[in-house]
Amino acid sequence: MPFTSSPRALWALVDCNNFFASCERLFRPDLVGKPVVVLSNNDGCIVARSNEAKILGIGMGEPEFKVRELLLMHEVAVFSSNYALYGDIASRVMRTLESIVPEVEQYSIDEAFVPLRGALAANAGEIADEMWQRVRRWTGIGVAVGLGTTRTLAKIASEKAKKGSGVCLLDAGPEADEILETTPVGDIWGIGRKSDLKLRSYDIYTARQLRDADGALVGKLLGIAGTHTALELRGIPCLDAANAPLPRRSMVSSRSFGEKVRDKQYLAEALAMHASLAGERLRKEKLEAGGLTVHIRTSRHGVEAFYDETASVTLGRPTSSSRDLIHATARGLEEIFRPGHAYAKAGIILYDLAPPGSRPGNMLDLVKPKSADGRNDSKLMRALDAVNKRFGRGMLRFAAEGKREAPWRVKSDRRSPGATTAWDELPVVKC
Ligand SMILES: [Mg+2]
């Protein structure tokens, strides 16, 4: 056949193995092969486990006091979380990926989606191998790479990769059917506990069954988000960075600037905007963050000296208040800002996400107001969210976020409307 179409675009999902525990081990080679766990803010719960710790039966999210005996008995190395370290190592991992592919979309602290188009898609296997090898060689962190035609399939492939050789391609065919058949619906990206129960009550137990299920039924049970997931399982891309499911334990909000930024004020505004966006998402998902890091860097390809720094900020107590988060970003920036650089990117990572009241705390937390500075922001935030929901995102903003037309903002005037993903951008028909 003389005519050949260009190869399909693929997604790679690169996920660091046992990330926090792996970071701790980087500087403690004596712990290689030994069980390691990392605790959340205030040493409350287990938030990361090395493979050896998993084998001991220490559960994810388990309160430390419940497994203390087990930890002692097996001489498990226990670390408090060191967000500054994890943020810095994560940034090295992302930079390493950027040295291989042009586009890297950091999704959570230790995961990135990498779009592979054209020639990149044609060589996806080699690129995946290179990512797997180079990250390990340059940073010491092991990763799993999943490949698929959609983000959801890439996610599932990465889980298989973790258990196998480190790289897995989920393509159409009997092999893919088998992988989807052995993936419980509850393990699919974006299928939460409630959706899992609903699907099970209709005898849909596996990813393969969800893929092949009647579209109308899925829509009725799970709404638009579930329909997207089912289509993604069929290889039809529906999710982008804006409507992708929220990561489970950490959240990233970061972006390259429209123009390079030298002004500290502009950096502060960009970080405040990320804090405000992340706060809104936290509240929507009914979560609070226990830790935050700020990240700023110059361009990797510039002629000037490269500068890349991460600061970790203590939040005092878990919060979902944008005001708290904005204050925290300002403190972080103060620590790492150096004049004279042309900054290309800024962002924040929120860690240790959990529903309010779900973590072991002290008794005083029950009576004290929620906000870090002693004020109670929940009413203010509710009002803010209500106004923005009704009149559009960004209608009510913090002064710290700066002007709408600031030079650091990415110009997106010509973005086409999210006709299939945003209610307020649906095409309007007049008759
Ligand atoms: Mg991971």
Side-chain angles (χ1 to χ4, degrees):
M1 213 165 39
F3 177 78
T4 53
S5 61
S6 62
R8 296 157 313 148
L10 284 173
W11 283 98
L13 191 268
V14 184
D15 184 2
C16 299
N17 303 333
N18 315 324
F19 184 58
F20 294 177
S22 303
C23 288
E24 295 295 349
R25 224 180 228 169
L26 280 181
F27 301 96
R28 289 287 305 274
D30 57 307
L31 294 178
V32 172
K34 306 235 170 77
V36 174
V37 299
V38 177
L39 303 176
S40 62
N41 222 20
N42 298 322
D43 293 348
C45 301
I46 308 279
V47 289
R49 306 159 297 161
S50 70
N51 285 338
E52 299 78 11
K54 287 177 189 173
I55 291 168
L56 291 177
I58 298 166
M60 188 66 185
E62 201 116 50
E64 184 268 344
F65 69 88
K66 281 197 179 166
V67 287
R68 196 170 291 162
E69 256 176 66
L70 200 60
L71 296 173
L72 284 170
M73 193 162 64
H74 296 280
E75 294 176 4
V76 178
V78 181
F79 290 91
S80 300
S81 37
N82 181 347
Y83 299 136
L85 174 69
Y86 313 146
D88 186 57
I89 304 291
S91 130
R92 291 180 200 204
V93 170
M94 299 304 149
R95 239 157 54 210
T96 305
L97 295 175
E98 283 170 1
S99 74
I100 303 170
V101 288
E103 235 181 297
V104 175
E105 205 180 88
Q106 189 173 2
Y107 168 67
S108 74
I109 172 76
D110 69 329
E111 286 164 279
F113 283 108
V114 176
L116 301 173
R117 304 188 180 95
L120 292 176
N123 299 311
E126 285 150 52
I127 290 168
D129 285 340
E130 184 60 29
M131 292 195 286
W132 184 85
Q133 267 184 34
R134 199 181 291 182
V135 173
R136 182 178 290 269
R137 221 182 307 131
W138 288 12
T139 69
I141 299 289
V143 296
V145 184
L147 293 165
T149 45
T150 63
R151 290 172 196 251
T152 304
L153 290 172
K155 251 326 219 176
I156 292 174
S158 80
E159 290 304 316
K160 294 292 157 189
K162 233 177 261 177
K163 285 161 199 145
S165 63
V167 177
C168 171
L169 166 67
L170 188 45
D171 212 345
E175 226 175 289
D177 287 351
E178 200 194 310
I179 291 178
L180 292 180
E181 195 154 330
T182 53
T183 302
V185 272
D187 288 359
I188 301 171
W189 188 44
I191 300 289
R193 232 179 58 84
K194 270 190 206 154
S195 304
D196 184 23
L197 289 175
K198 277 188 204 165
L199 290 169
R200 280 167 183 278
S201 69
Y202 279 81
D203 290 332
I204 298 171
Y205 300 101
T206 69
R208 185 177 180 179
Q209 286 173 321
L210 179 59
R211 181 194 69 184
D212 301 336
D214 174 45
L217 173 71
V218 174
K220 201 182 88 190
L221 288 177
L222 309 181
I224 187 77
T227 304
H228 283 161
T229 300
L231 287 171
E232 287 242 323
L233 289 173
R234 278 177 222 167
I236 302 163
C238 297
L239 298 174
D240 56 33
N243 68 356
L246 198 69
R248 239 170 287 182
R249 282 178 291 274
S250 68
M251 194 196 306
V252 176
S253 184
S254 81
R255 209 166 192 192
S256 299
F257 295 130
E259 285 169 28
K260 297 261 164 41
V261 164
R262 293 178 178 278
D263 205 330
K264 188 176 175 188
Q265 175 63 27
Y266 286 148
L267 279 174
E269 290 176 8
L271 289 168
M273 179 204 68
H274 287 302
S276 168
L277 278 176
E280 189 185 313
R281 253 192 130 174
L282 276 182
R283 295 190 296 275
K284 200 171 150 206
E285 309 280 336
K286 299 195 173 49
L287 293 169
E288 289 176 335
L292 177 149
T293 69
V294 170
H295 175 215
I296 55 174
R297 71 167 166 87
T298 60
S299 166
R300 238 170 31 84
H301 307 291
V303 280
E304 295 174 71
F306 182 62
Y307 182 74
D308 179 341
E309 204 50 76
T310 310
S312 151
V313 190
T314 324
L315 286 173
R317 66 184 62 218
T319 183
S320 65
S321 157
S322 297
R323 221 167 51 90
D324 286 346
L325 300 175
I326 290 173
H327 281 305
T329 59
R331 291 209 305 277
L333 180 63
E334 204 55 52
E335 228 176 89
I336 52 178
F337 177 77
R338 299 288 175 273
H341 291 296
Y343 292 96
K345 193 172 184 179
I348 62 166
I349 304 172
L350 299 180
Y351 296 95
D352 199 2
L353 309 185
S358 68
R359 40 188 125 216
N362 60 46
M363 290 284 280
L364 286 175
D365 286 348
L366 298 173
V367 289
K368 274 194 198 156
K370 280 267 180 267
S371 169
D373 62 3
R375 290 206 273 178
N376 190 338
D377 276 356
S378 56
K379 273 190 190 159
L380 178 64
M381 292 304 131
R382 260 206 303 278
L384 178 79
D385 292 340
V387 170
N388 285 338
K389 195 174 172 198
R390 177 145 175 216
F391 297 105
R393 165 171 279 171
M395 179 54 75
L396 206 53
R397 287 178 302 139
F398 287 86
E401 295 176 58
K403 293 201 184 106
R404 237 176 245 279
E405 59 278 6
W408 54 267
R409 289 187 187 267
V410 178
K411 310 271 179 290
S412 57
D413 302 338
R414 284 181 290 178
R415 182 181 66 103
S416 59
T420 58
T421 52
W423 284 114
D424 48 3
E425 294 179 16
L426 288 181
V428 177
V429 180
K430 293 197 174 105
C431 54

